[in-house]
Amino acid sequence: MPAYLQEVIQTLPENARIPDFGCGFGQFLSALKWVGVNGDFELLGLDINERAVAHV
């Protein structure tokens, strides 16, 4: 994860919501889960492609 993104995540309050607009197949949200971010935050993916969202 880029250093700038780690700094931003560290400033978020506990239980913050992290939206990903235009998430596609959820690569960004998957990366956040992989580094353990989902334990502290609510991750939300939004996309107009229903098949992509269903894949996540």
Side-chain angles (χ1 to χ4, degrees):
M1 180 181 320
Y4 73 88
L5 190 52
Q6 289 177 342
E7 291 178 25
V8 169
I9 289 173
Q10 290 174 358
T11 65
L12 295 174
E14 189 174 319
N15 298 320
R17 293 179 177 171
I18 301 177
D20 182 5
F21 298 99
C23 68
F25 290 101
Q27 298 92 329
F28 176 68
L29 296 177
S30 293
L32 290 178
K33 285 183 178 183
W34 187 74
V35 296
V37 169
N38 65 319
D40 299 326
F41 305 108
E42 179 181 346
L43 305 177
L44 175 65
L46 301 166
D47 199 288
I48 61 171
N49 185 337
E50 293 179 21
R51 285 195 225 165
V53 174
H55 177 76
V56 178

